[in-house]
């Protein structure tokens, strides 16, 4: 990897760990956030944080939901 600041290297590394995202694509995503649309980066970060805090797996059907049991199993 080129000599980038440590924080940028970390972001690229984390993006590259996603399925289907290679090193070059991860760099493109990171550079887009840094150069073109920092607000998009903030929105993405916020959406990930919210999803991680709210989404659970239904204990009955393993569906992704915000409540356990999910709306379908609760019906």
């Amino acid at each position: 990897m080129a000599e980038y600041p440590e924080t940028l290297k970390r972001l690229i590394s984390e993006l590259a760990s996603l399925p289907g995202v290679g090193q070059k694509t991860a760099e493109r995503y990171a550079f887009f956030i840094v150069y073109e649309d920092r607000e998009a980066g903030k929105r993405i970060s916020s959406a990930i944080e919210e999803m991680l805090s709210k989404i659970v797996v239904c204990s009955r059907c393993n569906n992704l939901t915000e409540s356990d049991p999910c709306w379908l199993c609760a019906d």
Side-chain angles (χ1 to χ4, degrees):
M1 186 182 307
E3 272 309 306
Y4 300 130
E6 288 302 315
T7 53
L8 184 56
K9 284 184 192 178
R10 180 171 175 236
L11 175 60
I12 292 169
S13 176
E14 294 299 332
L15 290 170
S17 72
L18 295 171
V21 179
Q23 183 68 26
K24 286 184 180 181
T25 300
E27 287 180 12
R28 287 184 192 112
Y29 290 163
F31 291 145
F32 175 79
I33 291 169
V34 170
Y35 285 118
E36 301 294 330
D37 196 349
R38 287 179 180 241
E39 289 303 313
K42 290 177 184 176
R43 290 190 306 271
I44 292 166
S45 174
S46 174
I48 291 171
E49 285 182 32
E50 182 178 11
M51 181 268 311
L52 290 173
S53 70
K54 290 184 178 181
I55 297 295
V56 296
V57 178
C58 177
S59 59
R60 294 184 187 169
C61 70
N62 293 324
N63 190 26
L64 296 177
T65 181
E66 290 186 0
S67 61
D68 187 20
C70 71
W71 67 271
L72 191 58
C73 291
D75 187 24

